[in-house]
Amino acid sequence: TKKISASCGNTDFRTEECELRRSRRLVVSFLATVGNYEYAFYWHLYQDGTIEYEVKLTGILTTAAVDPSKGETKYGTHYGAGLYAPIHQHFFCMRLDMEVDGPGNTVVECETVAEPEGPENPFGNAFYAKYTPLKTEKEAQRMLSPLTGRYWTVTNPHSLNRMQKPVGYKLMPG
């Protein structure tokens, strides 16, 4: 019979050995009041080098007047006679001044590309990662591309890891 411990995070099904490592993180946060909103910004710094950024907001509903004789507007939610809450968005951007293992970093874009069906891909199911160095800020202006799994890595071509690849920091949209 298998013994499974409730305190074990992961039991290897081949060896039935338990491996448990607890994650630790440092959270740096601050609050900002802007207009009728309270924004809470959180930077989560993990021991493995992962950085997560989180924004939360609360506040008082933004309101606007609407002519009740014209009926409802598609530009917001009505919640009283002559009042509605306009539909709007909140965008948050940050600039990361990266210096991965020293100066001279390069931004490399990675996208998943489907191999065309043919002799190299007879079943039409092969794909590969396409890496493109982005040499200027203008060249690096990009939109998200969830269908290609687009992400970016800030690399240092002058510092290699044990696999003889440039060290880097992966930036994933999320």
Side-chain angles (χ1 to χ4, degrees), residues 27-122:
V27 180
V28 179
S29 64
F30 69 96
L31 302 173
T33 302
V34 181
N36 58 320
Y37 290 106
E38 298 286 333
Y39 297 99
F41 300 89
Y42 301 89
W43 290 92
H44 302 274
L45 310 172
Y46 292 86
Q47 288 178 317
D48 66 357
T50 300
I51 299 173
E52 290 179 344
Y53 184 63
E54 179 182 21
V55 179
K56 297 179 181 181
L57 80 110
T58 187
I60 301 168
L61 196 62
T62 298
T63 59
V66 64
D67 185 349
S69 67
K70 294 186 178 178
E72 294 198 8
T73 175
K74 66 181 180 180
Y75 301 110
T77 303
H78 287 259
Y79 65 93
L83 290 175
Y84 84 111
I87 295 171
H88 63 285
Q89 297 175 319
H90 299 254
F91 294 98
F92 301 95
C93 300
M94 72 282 312
R95 183 179 178 102
L96 301 175
D97 189 8
M98 307 283 289
E99 198 169 286
V100 179
D101 209 15
N105 291 182
T106 301
V107 176
V108 179
E109 180 177 77
C110 180
E111 295 186 290
T112 303
V113 178
E115 183 72 45
E117 197 167 334
E120 294 290 318
N121 184 18

